[in-house]
Amino acid sequence: MSKRPKIAIYWLGACGGCDSALLDLGESLLELAEKFEVVIWPAALDFKHDRLRKMPDNSLALAIISGCVRNSDHKAMAELLRAKSRLVLACGACACFGGIPGLANLRPRDEIIEWVYSASPTVTNPEGVRPELSCDVNGEQLTMPEFYGHVYALNQAIKVDYFLPGCPPPIDLLLDAIKKIVGKKPPQRGSTLAPAKPLCDSCPRNRSKPARMAITKIRRAHETVIDPGECFLAHGIICLGPATCDGCGGSCLAVNAPCRGCFGAVEGVRDSGARFLASLAPLLAPEDEAGLRAMIDEIADAAGYACRFTQPVSILGEKELTEKDRE
Ligand code: SF4
Ligand code: SF4
């Protein structure tokens, strides 16, 4: 029997991009396979839930889990993996903060169901059929996971030992994180495995920032042409670099797109969206109060901008949860 530490790789509510990033490890995957026994990885290996259920508790060295918790199946799998694993790594923005799926928290569950199953112009559903938790098909009972009224980050459902942000995490950080976690001197539990500084600190455009920034107009990226060396924010284009953790290598900035915050908050800051809005406010330089109102109104979806990847862990844009949502 193999003496290599066992690891599991699993995705919950996610697009699969983090699993693709793992596959992008290429030859480094062979290095991983030499060091670890990958016992569960549905995206790449055959896998049966029963195999995981039958393993003794704590028998896995590490579970690498991507995706948010959106339904009862995600929650059950997260709890099962937690029970079987000595360490859990939340991999990617969805697991760390809820990610893009977390924006669904800006709408009530019933409104989402209504849109997806009836109101959307591309849907044809004259009988108004809705998903049922169980139904009879030819005498057999089929069951479906329950769709929760709220999207949760992984650590809102189970205890998480390490966080690796990004949408998806860059492969160098991913490989480094796995080696560190199962190495001789693992990082402190609860750590975010990315540099503890904001993206602006490593952004080459930072040098173009004026000593005193004064934004007189909020612009969307398509409304202006910006020189690839210029700071987006100085031109009134919302860029979350000041409030976002470094570590992605500035991939969006390199293709002349502003940062949308997929690395979340710098370690020690709870809410990157709230931090960003707080840091933006003193940079606004309207002529008068009406001008200030006009500038704020130009931000079409402030919560969506500031918390595109982080709503479930943010204080911004939270809809009022009903008892049904909390079930
Ligand atoms: S605000 Fe954006 S463009 Fe400006 S320095 Fe920071 S990361 Fe770079
Ligand atoms: S620039 Fe921002 S949004 Fe783009 S990859 Fe980096 S952290 Fe994510």
Side-chain angles (χ1 to χ4, degrees):
M1 188 182 280
S2 171
K3 290 270 188 263
R4 288 167 298 161
K6 295 181 171 65
I7 64 172
I9 303 169
Y10 200 86
W11 104 50
L12 305 172
C15 68
C18 293
D19 273 67
S20 301
L22 275 155
L23 289 168
D24 275 348
L25 287 173
E27 286 181 9
S28 298
L29 270 177
L30 301 177
E31 196 188 319
L32 272 186
E34 270 173 23
K35 292 195 174 127
F36 308 105
E37 186 188 354
V38 182
V39 292
I40 289 153
W41 188 4
L45 306 168
D46 187 23
F47 161 70
K48 303 285 179 285
H49 283 79
D50 263 1
R51 182 172 178 210
L52 181 61
R53 283 197 189 94
K54 285 176 184 158
M55 285 179 176
D57 282 359
N58 292 321
S59 55
L60 300 178
L62 172 66
I64 301 171
I65 305 179
S66 57
C68 62
V69 174
R70 180 35 142 171
N71 65 36
S72 54
D73 182 56
H74 299 153
K75 184 159 183 279
M77 282 308 297
E79 287 171 349
L80 185 61
L81 286 161
R82 176 69 269 185
K84 304 298 174 190
S85 311
R86 298 192 288 284
L87 293 169
V88 167
L89 169 68
C91 177
C94 298
C96 290
F97 334 109
I100 295 274
L103 286 175
N105 286 349
L106 301 173
R107 294 277 182 273
R109 166 171 48 189
D110 291 349
E111 205 176 300
I112 293 170
I113 297 272
E114 173 64 16
W115 177 258
V116 171
Y117 289 95
S118 288
S120 166
T122 53
V123 170
T124 306
N125 183 6
E127 289 168 21
V129 175
R130 295 286 187 269
E132 301 283 340
L133 286 184
S134 72
C135 64
D136 186 282
V137 177
N138 299 331
E140 301 283 344
Q141 277 299 308
L142 297 186
T143 58
M144 290 270 287
E146 183 191 351
F147 180 71
Y148 291 155
H150 196 74
V151 179
Y152 299 92
L154 189 60
N155 73 339
Q156 293 170 328
I158 59 167
K159 183 172 175 290
V160 169
D161 299 295
Y162 298 107
F163 299 85
L164 177 63
C167 183
I171 52 176
D172 55 334
L173 280 196
L174 192 51
L175 194 58
D176 191 52
I178 297 170
K179 286 180 181 167
K180 278 187 181 150
I181 291 171
V182 294
K184 290 207 170 76
K185 281 190 183 167
Q188 195 182 357
R189 298 279 179 100
S191 306
T192 295
L193 304 174
K197 60 187 175 71
L199 179 62
C200 281
D201 283 12
S202 66
C203 176
R205 297 169 188 249
N206 209 345
R207 290 189 289 271
S208 76
K209 270 183 185 167
R212 188 173 160 74
M213 211 187 279
I215 301 171
T216 52
K217 183 168 172 51
I218 300 285
R219 294 182 172 86
R220 299 182 73 180
H222 68 273
E223 290 174 341
T224 183
V225 178
I226 183 160
D227 184 283
E230 298 278 316
C231 169
F232 287 105
L233 208 47
H235 285 263
I237 297 171
I238 291 181
C239 177
L240 266 70
T244 299
C245 180
D246 198 6
C248 69
S251 13
C252 298
L253 308 165
V255 294
N256 214 15
C259 173
R260 292 294 176 233
C262 78
F263 260 60
V266 179
E267 191 147 31
V269 175
R270 192 181 143 235
D271 187 333
S272 54
R275 167 61 69 95
F276 174 75
L277 292 180
S279 63
L280 177 67
L283 306 180
L284 301 179
E287 281 181 6
D288 50 28
E289 202 174 324
L292 177 63
R293 172 54 53 198
M295 284 177 87
I296 292 169
D297 287 347
E298 279 163 14
I299 307 175
D301 173 12
Y305 260 121
C307 308
R308 183 170 297 195
F309 294 90
T310 58
Q311 199 292 321
V313 298
S314 174
I315 55 171
L316 300 173
E318 175 82 60
K319 72 177 188 291
E320 199 174 322
L321 292 186
T322 63
E323 282 311 309
K324 198 172 159 201
D325 289 335
R326 290 183 193 280
E327 280 164 14

